Amino acid sequence: MTFFHFFNCAALTFGPHAIYYKATPLSEYDTFNTCIKAAIVYLTTTFLKLVCLATFVQVSEHDTGFDLPQELLKGLIGFLDVAGLYYALTQVSHRSISQTHKFQAVALGWAFADAVLHRLAPLWVGAKGLEFTWEYLLQGVEANAHLVFTVSLAALGSLMWLRKNKPSALVPVIYASAAVVASMPSVVSYLRKGLAWDFEKVVSFELSASIVMAFVSWRLFSACQRPSQ
Amino acid sequence: MRGWWRQQVMGQAVVVMVVMVMSMVVADAAAVVDVYRMIQYDLRGAPMGSRRAALNHHATSGFDVAGADLSRAVVILPVLEVNISSLNEFVQNKGLLGGLLLLLPQRSHESGGGEGDDSDENVGKVLVELEQWLVHNTFQYPVYFAYEDDYVKSVLQEVSANDAAGRPATATTGGYKLVVSVSEAKKIATPTLTNIQGWLPGLRAEGDNSMLPTIAIVASYDTFGAAPALATGSDSNGSGVAMLLELARLFSRLYANPNTRGPYNLLFGLTSGGPYNYNGTQNWLRNFDQRLRESMEYALCLNSVGSSSDHMWLHVSKPPENAFIKQILSEFENVAEGLDLTVELKHKKINISNSRVAWEHEQFSRQRITAATLSQLEEASELLQQTGGIADSRRAVNETVMMRKIKLVAESLARRIYGQQGTQVEVFAAGTNLALSPAYVRSWLDLLGRTPRVAPFLGKNAPIITALHKELAQYTKDASLQHETLDSTFVFYDNTKAQLNVYQVASVTFDFIVALAVGSYLIILFVVLFITTKVKFLAVRNLLRGPIIPLTIDCFFNHTNPFCFS
């Protein structure tokens, strides 16, 4: 029954993306091309990140332990993600779709590409084996959390770069939240390596943090939306 | 139209991917354990031993577990807890079993000192009995041996706990699954027996053209056991081989110098096929030419000389009243007194019509060559008994006593060769360059105690055969190998070692529950997203708290409803 397990985990990991697309108006407005373009931008960004990581980050012999300078460097390189999102949101030409849908489509394409690249191969190799571990189910939950993170980041990003008129009081809040969401990967890796948390704890932290940040960005977004409405 | 075509292509791509996925097999176990397969052989056409090799079943801890389907389970039994009579009953009733995994106590890596404590002896006895029972029965399922390390112990504990709590491992309840993926065993087409021999030619007196008499010293070096990969036979007959090599070393020293070369030829023979009625010895003797046969004064066979007991037996087939036999015995007795050993004569008549050859000297006697076997064993063993199986460990061999026994044989032979019977001369005195070397004997005992030597699985070029050949070549002249095929009474099948993969599998119910959970999560997600985005938000929700569900469903199907976003 191991293919069963594989299909379960694959559904948990990739299902939400498809459902997000189908259930929200994204499918109505045929934003599929936007998603594809965002996925391509993600691929390029990841490639650039890998090149930077390979060039600048040293591989340590003992991979437990949290080497602060190296992790800071990795976090910095992680900010390339933000740059990629910026490029996807602003530079790539989209058909005329509203602001709300644009950032959602970009986020969807971005998160889907991330899920496929990072989680499909381990899932294929691991979940099909006879051995059972909780790892792949937890990975699926993590993919869900990552989707929420990406949507929040894209929302904040669109607020920062696409919207011209923002209530000035909220601007620092926007930038602060964006910084928090963008540094999430470093925080997670610190938890996993520096504090040696179990995978379950890390995933539950990610889930709760993603919900919190999503709520924050939703409030910010609707707050900024009111003037134009 | 284009959308439909795109869907078709995607559908086909999905099907192709699914087929590819299904055809890939992944092996990624939690742990891999080395296991040693039980022997599979045919004796005169009757199938014996374990007849299957591949294993793929759930693990269970005993035969009486309620609710377990034994024909689809592998029973894990520590060897010390095996109840042979109940196991025998199970087998005699032709009980079906998925497989049997026997756990041997963790082996210690100390070399023998001979002072094994009582628990060692106990283990040895249990193993001997178990091996004998296993070897003489047929099992239609795979039987494997493994050493009990911490991981295996923890697996067994968990399995026992689950079984005791009434949750045996089956396909629907999950648990541990043991998988050995090997192909079924094939017959070994030409099992080879390799005999190794070496000469130390004696010194002929001036003007004497007749053939010198020859004394042969023979030991069989191969073993047989319930698990061929573990049959290292330290006492049977590693001790005999080590004694023979030490004798070869000592006499080569004496014979190196023509002044001390004796008037006897010495023939050293390491024979194979011991457990199979000394088949190799028989072939070796058949190849002797007539002159050699006539010149052979007598042959001394060494069999199991390594225990701590100082009582030795000289087994003969000629009647004890025979003058020559009396001579040989008295030579041994004279030397034995000074070494605190006793040698006693034991006579066993040969029954020509019986194909069972219990001692090696009987093969010589059948060829009309006087021979005797020196052994610490009192009784002749039955077929495939005392053949150096798992129970015969290095710790069973006592080197200190063995050195005295080697001295016994060496001095007796020397007195015969140099005509010093009756005197008390000590040829191989300590402190001289003819002294016995305990280190040499120990190193050979260690090597033999680590090397499984079941002849059909050794082939012609096994490292141990090459090593023995080189060693004899160092001390003797004309060291040669002779390859023979084992006679067809015994047929062996290969596959002696394998790797066991231990998987922890979840039950089918668990997979169903997870599928249900994931499915409901996705459905809820869909509904939530649908409601929050496709149904007009604030106003509708506040006013129409009632018919929100029918409205949702209506929006899903009918987009012209003014209350829905288009």
Side-chain angles (χ1 to χ4, degrees):
Chain A
M1 272 306 165
T2 54
F3 294 118
F4 202 164
H5 190 60
F6 171 72
F7 285 130
N8 282 342
C9 296
L12 184 58
T13 315
F14 303 113
H17 299 88
I19 288 191
Y20 196 98
Y21 186 77
K22 280 281 178 220
T24 59
L26 291 182
S27 54
E28 305 272 317
Y29 288 111
D30 196 18
T31 46
F32 197 66
N33 287 326
T34 316
C35 296
I36 299 283
K37 286 182 198 162
I40 293 174
V41 174
Y42 176 79
L43 282 171
T44 328
T45 317
T46 313
F47 185 71
L48 283 172
K49 264 173 62 178
L50 281 177
V51 170
C52 290
L53 279 173
T55 318
F56 297 120
V57 175
Q58 300 162 337
V59 177
S60 63
E61 282 86 46
H62 42 100
D63 34 35
T64 56
F66 184 75
D67 189 8
L68 193 58
Q70 295 299 324
E71 292 295 327
L72 279 181
L73 202 54
K74 282 192 206 165
L76 226 56
I77 291 177
F79 271 96
L80 274 177
D81 266 338
V82 180
L85 262 182
Y86 168 78
Y87 184 81
L89 279 172
T90 56
Q91 303 298 339
V92 177
S93 65
H94 305 286
R95 275 198 286 169
S96 52
I97 44 180
S98 71
Q99 291 272 334
T100 50
H101 297 143
K102 188 193 286 192
F103 83 79
Q104 282 181 57
V106 166
L108 192 61
W110 189 272
F112 186 72
D114 175 87
V116 166
L117 275 186
H118 282 227
R119 295 175 229 287
L120 182 60
L123 201 58
W124 189 323
V125 172
K128 273 195 315 100
L130 278 178
E131 181 77 14
F132 172 74
T133 47
W134 284 101
E135 192 184 326
Y136 301 105
L137 285 173
L138 288 175
Q139 225 181 44
V141 177
E142 197 187 9
N144 278 285
H146 190 88
L147 173 60
V148 180
F149 270 137
T150 316
V151 170
S152 330
L153 190 58
L156 294 170
S158 86
L159 279 184
M160 288 194 292
W161 303 311
L162 292 178
R163 193 168 292 276
K164 308 297 185 259
N165 43 344
K166 300 181 278 247
S168 47
L170 292 177
V171 168
V173 185
I174 293 174
Y175 279 102
S177 323
V180 168
V181 176
S183 56
M184 266 300 146
S186 310
V187 174
V188 165
S189 110
Y190 169 70
L191 287 178
R192 190 152 342 159
K193 290 196 209 149
L195 296 182
W197 276 18
D198 287 331
F199 197 33
E200 296 125 9
K201 276 167 86 171
V202 172
V203 170
S204 44
F205 167 78
E206 279 186 347
L207 212 51
S208 33
S210 66
I211 292 176
V212 164
M213 291 316 297
F215 184 76
V216 165
S217 25
W218 177 50
R219 295 310 306 163
L220 282 173
F221 199 83
S222 30
C224 294
Q225 195 142 1
R226 255 183 246 122
S228 60
Q229 219 168 23
Chain B
M1 198 58 189
R2 214 154 45 111
W4 174 87
W5 185 80
R6 194 186 338 168
Q7 261 190 10
Q8 280 282 298
V9 171
M10 284 196 55
Q12 284 178 9
V14 166
V15 166
V16 168
M17 235 196 72
V18 165
V19 167
M20 263 173 54
V21 157
M22 295 289 191
S23 58
M24 281 168 60
V25 174
V26 166
D28 181 24
V32 178
V33 179
D34 281 326
V35 291
Y36 309 95
R37 187 168 161 250
M38 189 180 147
I39 192 147
Q40 180 181 358
Y41 68 107
D42 296 338
L43 178 56
R44 294 185 202 100
M48 309 285 283
S50 158
R51 309 305 294 182
R52 289 255 148 72
L55 188 65
N56 187 343
H57 287 302
H58 291 268
T60 181
S61 60
F63 286 92
D64 307 315
V65 174
D69 181 7
L70 280 180
S71 68
R72 298 243 196 126
V74 180
V75 179
I76 307 183
L77 283 182
V79 151
L80 297 174
E81 293 170 25
V82 168
N83 182 339
I84 294 189
S85 46
S86 66
L87 206 54
N88 195 27
E89 236 184 86
F90 181 81
V91 170
Q92 297 307 330
N93 293 338
K94 306 228 185 303
L96 285 175
L97 194 60
L100 189 57
L101 179 66
L102 294 165
L103 297 181
L104 298 166
Q106 216 153 5
R107 58 184 154 183
S108 51
H109 293 276
E110 322 148 19
S111 58
E115 296 98 25
D117 48 14
D118 284 331
S119 68
D120 264 355
E121 266 188 54
N122 197 19
V123 169
K125 277 200 211 113
V126 167
L127 279 178
V128 166
E129 216 191 315
L130 181 63
E131 263 197 281
Q132 276 305 299
W133 177 77
L134 283 172
V135 160
H136 288 107
N137 272 296
T138 315
F139 304 91
Q140 295 301 332
Y141 36 84
V143 179
Y144 280 96
F145 288 88
Y147 281 102
E148 212 176 38
D149 62 6
D150 292 326
Y151 175 71
V152 174
K153 264 195 251 194
S154 68
V155 168
L156 180 59
Q157 261 173 355
E158 233 186 279
V159 172
S160 322
N162 277 340
D163 287 345
R167 286 169 304 174
T170 62
T172 46
T173 58
Y176 282 98
K177 199 157 201 213
L178 305 178
V179 179
V180 177
S181 13
V182 287
S183 51
E184 289 305 320
K186 294 187 290 291
K187 275 191 208 184
I188 296 183
T190 46
T192 315
L193 300 177
T194 307
N195 298 320
I196 313 168
Q197 70 177 43
W199 276 102
L200 275 178
L203 190 63
R204 262 193 280 229
E206 293 263 335
D208 185 359
N209 282 329
S210 59
M211 185 99 177
L212 279 179
T214 308
I215 296 183
I217 303 169
V218 190
S220 78
Y221 67 86
D222 67 330
T223 59
F224 180 87
L230 295 176
T232 51
S234 297
D235 196 16
S236 304
N237 192 14
S239 54
V241 173
M243 185 183 276
L244 184 147
L245 288 174
E246 175 69 352
L247 291 171
R249 188 185 72 84
L250 291 170
F251 279 98
S252 83
R253 286 232 162 136
L254 274 175
Y255 273 50
N257 187 342
N259 291 336
T260 50
R261 204 175 289 167
Y264 279 84
N265 293 327
L266 289 176
L267 172 62
F268 294 93
L270 285 168
T271 58
S272 184
Y276 323 116
N277 292 325
Y278 294 100
N279 192 240
T281 318
Q282 189 183 35
N283 290 327
W284 187 49
L285 289 175
R286 282 219 193 102
N287 286 331
F288 278 6
D289 66 18
Q290 191 57 20
R291 283 200 321 161
L292 174 55
R293 223 178 284 204
E294 284 169 3
S295 74
M296 184 96 59
E297 188 168 287
Y298 96 105
L300 180 66
C301 307
L302 305 169
N303 183 354
S304 306
V305 291
S307 82
S308 337
S309 145
D310 41 9
H311 192 105
M312 304 281 284
W313 299 87
L314 193 67
H315 296 267
V316 291
S317 40
K318 284 215 161 117
E321 304 78 43
N322 182 301
F324 190 72
I325 300 290
K326 279 197 188 162
Q327 231 183 28
I328 300 177
L329 181 63
S330 68
E331 276 161 27
F332 275 111
E333 279 174 337
N334 284 339
V335 182
E337 265 180 52
L339 290 167
D340 288 325
L341 296 169
T342 43
V343 182
E344 207 178 311
L345 195 68
K346 193 131 205 282
H347 173 234
K348 177 178 177 289
K349 272 213 247 197
I350 302 180
N351 185 349
I352 302 275
S353 55
N354 185 357
S355 61
R356 169 77 189 127
V357 177
W359 298 108
E360 197 162 9
H361 71 268
E362 294 185 15
Q363 291 286 11
F364 286 87
S365 306
R366 284 169 192 234
Q367 301 283 332
R368 305 252 181 277
I369 301 175
T370 312
T373 302
L374 186 66
S375 175
Q376 79 227 2
L377 300 170
E378 186 180 344
E379 295 297 327
S381 26
E382 299 300 321
L383 182 64
L384 300 178
Q385 238 187 10
Q386 283 287 348
T387 49
I390 307 172
D392 192 345
S393 71
R394 175 71 180 85
R395 296 156 70 97
V397 176
N398 186 331
E399 291 142 23
T400 334
V401 182
M402 206 175 131
M403 293 315 292
R404 280 166 36 210
K405 296 178 188 171
I406 298 180
K407 197 150 159 84
L408 166 68
V409 178
E411 295 285 353
S412 317
L413 279 177
R415 286 184 199 182
R416 165 161 279 271
I417 290 173
Y418 297 105
Q420 300 293 319
Q421 295 93 323
T423 66
Q424 291 300 314
V425 62
E426 190 184 1
V427 178
F428 303 101
T432 64
N433 68 341
L434 286 175
L436 270 59
S437 168
Y440 183 77
V441 172
R442 190 178 313 131
S443 68
W444 274 101
L445 284 173
D446 286 345
L447 175 63
L448 293 164
R450 289 198 298 269
T451 317
R453 310 187 294 281
V454 182
F457 300 101
L458 280 181
K460 286 189 189 170
N461 298 317
I464 187 71
I465 295 181
T466 319
L468 290 170
H469 182 206
K470 267 180 84 170
E471 196 68 9
L472 266 191
Q474 198 180 6
Y475 299 124
T476 63
K477 293 192 179 22
D478 302 330
S480 61
L481 294 175
Q482 180 205 24
H483 302 292
E484 302 281 341
T485 312
L486 177 60
D487 77 19
S488 53
T489 325
F490 292 88
V491 176
F492 288 92
Y493 294 77
D494 61 9
N495 247 334
T496 54
K497 266 180 85 154
Q499 301 226 299
L500 174 72
N501 295 303
V502 181
Y503 297 105
Q504 199 161 11
V505 288
S507 58
V508 167
T509 13
F510 176 80
D511 276 333
F512 273 119
I513 292 173
V514 167
L516 220 59
V518 169
S520 37
Y521 164 71
L522 289 177
I523 290 175
I524 292 176
L525 187 66
F526 184 87
V527 166
V528 163
L529 285 177
F530 194 83
I531 292 180
T532 51
T533 54
K534 284 205 178 167
V535 177
K536 219 170 187 180
F537 207 65
L538 293 160
V540 175
R541 283 236 336 231
N542 284 334
L543 293 175
L544 300 166
R545 226 173 268 257
I548 189 74
I549 305 281
L551 195 62
T552 311
I553 297 176
D554 195 42
C555 283
F556 190 65
F557 291 112
N558 178 7
H559 290 227
T560 58
N561 188 322
F563 287 123
C564 310
F565 272 147
S566 66

